[in-house]
Amino acid sequence: MPEKKDFIYINEKHGIEYSLLIPYEESVEELAHILIIQFNLPIYIEKELTQHLRIFIEDRTNEYFEEISDQVVQKGKDHEIPIDDIVKNWEKLMREEIIEFGERRCASDEELFATAYHKLVHSPALETMLQLEHMYSKIVRQKTEEKNALIKKLSDSQSEEMNKAVDRLEQDMTESKINELVARHYESHSLLQGQLSSELDTLKEAQRREYREWVMQMLEQNQANSSLPTPSSPLMPVVPRNFQNTRANSRDQINSPLLEESFTIHLGSQLKQMHNIRILSADVMDLCSIHDDEQLSEPTPQLLQTALGLYSNDLSGLVLMTDNKIGSRLTQEFQEVCQQTTEFHFPHIEDQLNKISSIAQQHFKNPQNGSSRNSNSELLQTGDFYMTRHSNLAQVHVIFHMVTDDSIRGIDINSRHPVVLGLRHILKTACSNDITSLTIPLLLQYEMTEEMTINWCEKRAELVFKCIKGFMIEMASWGGSELKNLQFMLPQGISQAVFTSMTEMLPRIFKVCNPKILA
Amino acid sequence: MTVDMPVSLLKNPELKFGAITFFAKQHKGDTCGSNGLPLTPNSIIIVGNAQLLKTIKSPFLCDFLDIIRGKHERTIVVSQYCGTPLAKIIDKHVLTHLQIKKIAYQALKGLSVLHKLDIVHRNLSNENILRQENGDIKLFNYGLYHMTNRGALVSFPVLEVLYTAPEVYLSGFDSGHVDKKVDIWSLGQRIRKILSLLQVNTSIFEKIAREHNCYEVYLNLPADLKELIELCLNIYPSKRLSCEELLDKLYFNEFRDIQEQKKMWEPFEVFSIQELYYWWQLAGGDVFQELKKQGLIRSSPPILSLPSLVLIEGTLLGQDRNPATLYDPRIVEMPLETLYQRFIHIPITAFYPLIHSKSDIISSSDPPPYDATGLPLVIKEKDPEYQFHRVILFRRLLHGYPFTKDLIRQEAEKDIPPLLRGDVWSALLNVPQGYERDYMRLDKYSHTTTDRQIEVDIPRCHQYNELLSSTQGHKKLKRILKAWVYKNSQYVYWQGLDSLTAPFLYLNFNDEAKAFACLSNFIPRYLHKFFLKDNTVVIEEYLAKFSQLISFHDPQLANHLHDINFDPKLFAIPWILTLFSHVFPLYKILHLWDKLLLCDASFPLHIGLSILTQLRDRLLTSGFNECILLFSDLPEVDIEKCVIASMQTYQSTPRSITSREHENEQFYKKNDLDIRGVTLEELKKESCPRISAADIINTVRKNPDKILLIDIRNTTLFHRSCVKGSVNIPFSSVSFNETVLDNLGTHSSLIKSKGDKVVAIIGDCETDLERFPNFLLQCNVSRVCVLHGDFNRFTSVIPTILTSGTTN
């Protein structure tokens, strides 16, 4: 928008001198009245003055526009403006913003599969699909266990051999021979490891392909028959019977009573928004890892929920804590959980992390981005976070990997701490990407550490509750999707006393809804 | 009369609408406005800007109907869409030169309406010019450039590639060029296109014609048409004529005569397209779903388009532009079949309700009226057929305002149709004609000392509402508040005036003057003297009355609040000062005020009481601290219950119970038999309210069984003369040591079994008029009040209500 111009309106008859900006955007009649008041003029000149003013403003406005518009045209004619650049810019703009001029783009494989999956998962085929996935995962599990067993066997035999060798050190063994042995062991160990892993990967890849093809086929059948697909037997993999029951105790673990309490709260002073909040103490990996129940061939009901929501507008997210290196060892446990079964929808976790890494590097290296960061470092900063997508986790679709550091263990962090700011970005990202369920570590860490005194926990929880409340109020004006369910997670094994103190604190900070009384 | 008639009234080919949709630009990163508050989302600014378009009425422009905000900055514009785009017509037909001239003329007429409002079309093309069945044209989609702050709030360019003036391209995308002449260029291009003609020395037009091998057509054009196009297609904007100048051309004379025979008054429309759209929505029409069904809203699953990395500075990395957010200029027409079906049985007479002269014979031939009585208000407001009848009726009544004032009031007592609420309210508030001029004369620009406070308050006032949080909303609210401060120099701006103004602005968003007029009439009626610089006396009196009203209706609660020292001044001041507009969200305020406007200044006390009644159980079991906490963030209040309960107590309470010294005499005239001259000190001492002699006289005459009169003078005086039906409990005979009703002796059973009778205590200067009512109050006797003045008030009343006391 070109700048406005100052003009002085002079009305000699009434002795008015008044400066105004052209183009004048307010009401001319009102201006006339202001002048009447300011210059203490009689009210009967209202009409005349308005008319006079209107003509003055109209003329000046016309002059103003004619001047700037003509100038532009003249410049264009005189080739003072780089016409080619202008044309290029316009062309680019139209191509990028208007569908007509944009590239004709077909739906990507990802989108096609997403649509197909979403349709089928909301049809009677759901059961078959989940069972199929379940069978696939059993096979992967079994393979993994076999792999682990083989590796263990090798390790055992190697260490035995090594022991023997060391015993004979005084006799016919020399140190160099031992070193040689170590090298040989290492080599065969990694060979086996590599071989088995690659077998596993091949298996997963095959499963993935098979599964995706099957889904597309099912959809085609469905469309051809224009009826709901009959869950006809797909390439149901056969699960070997001698499947070992090695994790019998896992079941007790799931059913062990959790510390948890739910609230319904409302936010806002006049218009009140409802949200569900839950505080629970558990191992965060329970939200990710699918517990395999050997007795049943049925998948757990949570999986059903997760599958139904995968391509919906109600995603479920989880905040995990990590350090400043993408895919560092801190995420190892999580990565293993991801690899327990086949990922049918998204790239494998390593590939996702690699891609994020390269995006980060590209960004930091580009001097145009002019950030205050060290351009050589590819490390992230505290408060940054990256996101991965998953279809094979128990209760979540999206993971926010938040970068933290040791400062988080201190007792005196405040609302301007980068991790808290990062939480705000997470809420904002969730809001603008339809992630409507979110799990956050209430103490900003999932592990119990020694600083966690009752006092420390209370202070930390109060900070997080209050900040999150503020962010949620802010969220209401962002125009995205609301956060429906918010979970605050406490480390597993937190004392009952701390837990109670948290559940008592929550209603003091958030306004808890009245229980509805049905009259 | 055929059954099909009414539907054919609805099936007017011009009463059709369509929608377009686009995405507003997202704010980048985490920026704050200059006031430190988060930026208003662009879609909200657009919603605010677009409201002005609703006021544009021209036969040559499509009526703008609605703007809807979806998630993630999606914006949907609904507007009239009827006829056939010219682009389609010129493919098949060749238009005559006369027809072309007419189109040019009407398009210019339409444009000149827009240009007068400083709106530039920018989108003029043959797609956006709709030819009606009668050959007239309407311009469509003229508001996009205006509502997006000259294209600044969207990322796509607002223009039609072929028709855009050269200077637009030359100034670049970000320049926000608002010269109206760009429309003139487009118009020229359009006309040229119609002639299917398509340079630099002599004439641009000639050049384009040559390029398109249409030079011959060009040569054969009549001179006037050629001139017109040449005038439009001058590359120098200054040499292009303006709308008005072009319209003045001689060759348009032939149209001018037909078109300009303006009627003195706009004819009364039985209903308008706005109302049709409203009914359509109530009948299940959903613009969003239609757009989805017809493929204009495509959504790809959000999990496929997540960012991969978000830096602490707020930078998003790895998120591709979602192709579904590109601008798609397609228009989706809304199907009206469901509405036609829903309304098919409505007889034609329902469109023309008789208001003043309705005979029994006519009534008997009518089908029974649509019955929605007894349904909850929220259901009635969602019932298309009920709203049809209400809107048709209220339209007529409002058309006759101010002569139909009483009828409007009468109908408003049933309910107020949401669509016309703004107008109905201003009728109920007696907004006079000429309110626009009064408002215009007020100074809303000059700086005053309250500006700062106003600016702090506005961004905190009902910001969940799209209109009120938009830039336009802020601007308008500020103007209204400044105008009010300017006009009412005897008063000051109190925080809360913003909330009080919000409902009026919301309902009259396009008519600031009316919102102001409503506010100006509202305050003297309900908040007389509340905005004085020192309003302590007024507020204290009001609060004292509130306490008394609680005692009157709910002695148990009043006693409890008294015991825990929880005084209304701790919570009720924002209630009364903003008449609950600071406490409730807008949709609740609207229902509450619907009733308030039919009642007098005492009604807010009853609303307060009904809120306490809803919280009664919690209050009775809470101590001081819990109560403070409870009111610091008021729990959800059921507004329908609240309205019903406050109406009930309002109607069952004698008016003088809530009478105040500081009431506006203009609305509540008092005479000798009313309550007057009670000082604040006296009032604060009294736990039970006073009742006026007038109210007692009235009740004794009309409803003697609704009142229990207790005469506490001594027996001798009582026997000499007393009010008919009164009982005598001499003050001296009662022992007040224990709060047990039985101490009153033989009459205690009368009090115990009184039901909802009012208990009025009559004494004279020798009796203690405090201890006795207090005693009753402590015994949890409800509706206790004391005669203002003494017994002698009644002696001069004619016809007398007195009797010599032998009846007892």
PDB file of all heavy atoms in Angstrom, chain A residues 1 38 101 282 389 435 462 516:
ATOM      1  N   MET A   1       0.861  -1.200   0.000  1.00  0.00           N
ATOM      2  CA  MET A   1       0.000   0.000   0.000  1.00  0.00           C
ATOM      3  C   MET A   1       0.887   1.236   0.000  1.00  0.00           C
ATOM      4  O   MET A   1       1.692   1.436   0.907  1.00  0.00           O
ATOM      5  CB  MET A   1      -0.857  -0.044   1.276  1.00  0.00           C
ATOM      6  CG  MET A   1      -1.804   1.131   1.405  1.00  0.00           C
ATOM      7  SD  MET A   1      -3.209   0.975   0.319  1.00  0.00           S
ATOM      8  CE  MET A   1      -3.765   2.652   0.254  1.00  0.00           C
ATOM      9  N   GLN A  38     -14.885  21.952  16.301  1.00  0.00           N
ATOM     10  CA  GLN A  38     -13.563  22.511  16.559  1.00  0.00           C
ATOM     11  C   GLN A  38     -13.480  23.995  16.279  1.00  0.00           C
ATOM     12  O   GLN A  38     -12.859  24.733  17.021  1.00  0.00           O
ATOM     13  CB  GLN A  38     -12.523  21.791  15.690  1.00  0.00           C
ATOM     14  CG  GLN A  38     -11.836  20.687  16.430  1.00  0.00           C
ATOM     15  CD  GLN A  38     -10.708  20.095  15.604  1.00  0.00           C
ATOM     16  OE1 GLN A  38     -10.226  20.706  14.654  1.00  0.00           O
ATOM     17  NE2 GLN A  38     -10.296  18.899  15.982  1.00  0.00           N
ATOM     18  N   PHE A 101      -3.876 -22.652 -12.188  1.00  0.00           N
ATOM     19  CA  PHE A 101      -2.580 -22.504 -12.823  1.00  0.00           C
ATOM     20  C   PHE A 101      -1.538 -23.415 -12.200  1.00  0.00           C
ATOM     21  O   PHE A 101      -0.427 -23.506 -12.664  1.00  0.00           O
ATOM     22  CB  PHE A 101      -2.113 -21.048 -12.728  1.00  0.00           C
ATOM     23  CG  PHE A 101      -3.097 -20.078 -13.292  1.00  0.00           C
ATOM     24  CD1 PHE A 101      -3.823 -19.231 -12.472  1.00  0.00           C
ATOM     25  CD2 PHE A 101      -3.318 -20.031 -14.662  1.00  0.00           C
ATOM     26  CE1 PHE A 101      -4.740 -18.348 -13.004  1.00  0.00           C
ATOM     27  CE2 PHE A 101      -4.232 -19.138 -15.199  1.00  0.00           C
ATOM     28  CZ  PHE A 101      -4.949 -18.303 -14.367  1.00  0.00           C
ATOM     29  N   ALA A 282       2.565 -43.744  35.064  1.00  0.00           N
ATOM     30  CA  ALA A 282       2.789 -44.992  34.349  1.00  0.00           C
ATOM     31  C   ALA A 282       4.101 -44.901  33.596  1.00  0.00           C
ATOM     32  O   ALA A 282       4.709 -43.820  33.513  1.00  0.00           O
ATOM     33  CB  ALA A 282       1.653 -45.248  33.370  1.00  0.00           C
ATOM     34  N   ARG A 389       5.892 -39.897  12.848  1.00  0.00           N
ATOM     35  CA  ARG A 389       4.531 -40.425  12.674  1.00  0.00           C
ATOM     36  C   ARG A 389       4.565 -41.938  12.763  1.00  0.00           C
ATOM     37  O   ARG A 389       5.490 -42.574  12.258  1.00  0.00           O
ATOM     38  CB  ARG A 389       3.988 -40.027  11.308  1.00  0.00           C
ATOM     39  CG  ARG A 389       4.032 -38.555  11.050  1.00  0.00           C
ATOM     40  CD  ARG A 389       3.641 -38.237   9.633  1.00  0.00           C
ATOM     41  NE  ARG A 389       4.707 -38.556   8.677  1.00  0.00           N
ATOM     42  CZ  ARG A 389       4.484 -38.750   7.387  1.00  0.00           C
ATOM     43  NH1 ARG A 389       3.257 -38.700   6.907  1.00  0.00           N
ATOM     44  NH2 ARG A 389       5.486 -39.019   6.575  1.00  0.00           N
ATOM     45  N   ILE A 435      -4.299 -32.506  16.072  1.00  0.00           N
ATOM     46  CA  ILE A 435      -3.925 -33.457  17.121  1.00  0.00           C
ATOM     47  C   ILE A 435      -4.729 -33.063  18.355  1.00  0.00           C
ATOM     48  O   ILE A 435      -4.462 -32.045  18.981  1.00  0.00           O
ATOM     49  CB  ILE A 435      -2.406 -33.404  17.395  1.00  0.00           C
ATOM     50  CG1 ILE A 435      -1.665 -33.788  16.123  1.00  0.00           C
ATOM     51  CG2 ILE A 435      -2.031 -34.313  18.560  1.00  0.00           C
ATOM     52  CD1 ILE A 435      -0.198 -33.505  16.137  1.00  0.00           C
ATOM     53  N   GLU A 462       2.966 -27.226  39.393  1.00  0.00           N
ATOM     54  CA  GLU A 462       2.223 -25.973  39.392  1.00  0.00           C
ATOM     55  C   GLU A 462       2.602 -25.151  38.161  1.00  0.00           C
ATOM     56  O   GLU A 462       1.745 -24.611  37.458  1.00  0.00           O
ATOM     57  CB  GLU A 462       2.520 -25.191  40.660  1.00  0.00           C
ATOM     58  CG  GLU A 462       1.608 -23.985  40.797  1.00  0.00           C
ATOM     59  CD  GLU A 462       1.864 -23.199  42.068  1.00  0.00           C
ATOM     60  OE1 GLU A 462       2.562 -23.726  42.965  1.00  0.00           O
ATOM     61  OE2 GLU A 462       1.370 -22.068  42.144  1.00  0.00           O
ATOM     62  N   LYS A 516     -23.010 -32.860  36.479  1.00  0.00           N
ATOM     63  CA  LYS A 516     -24.356 -32.625  35.959  1.00  0.00           C
ATOM     64  C   LYS A 516     -25.336 -33.397  36.824  1.00  0.00           C
ATOM     65  O   LYS A 516     -25.166 -34.588  37.053  1.00  0.00           O
ATOM     66  CB  LYS A 516     -24.468 -33.119  34.516  1.00  0.00           C
ATOM     67  CG  LYS A 516     -24.133 -32.053  33.497  1.00  0.00           C
ATOM     68  CD  LYS A 516     -25.415 -31.474  32.929  1.00  0.00           C
ATOM     69  CE  LYS A 516     -25.147 -30.493  31.800  1.00  0.00           C
ATOM     70  NZ  LYS A 516     -24.933 -29.133  32.221  1.00  0.00           N
TER      71      LYS A 516
END
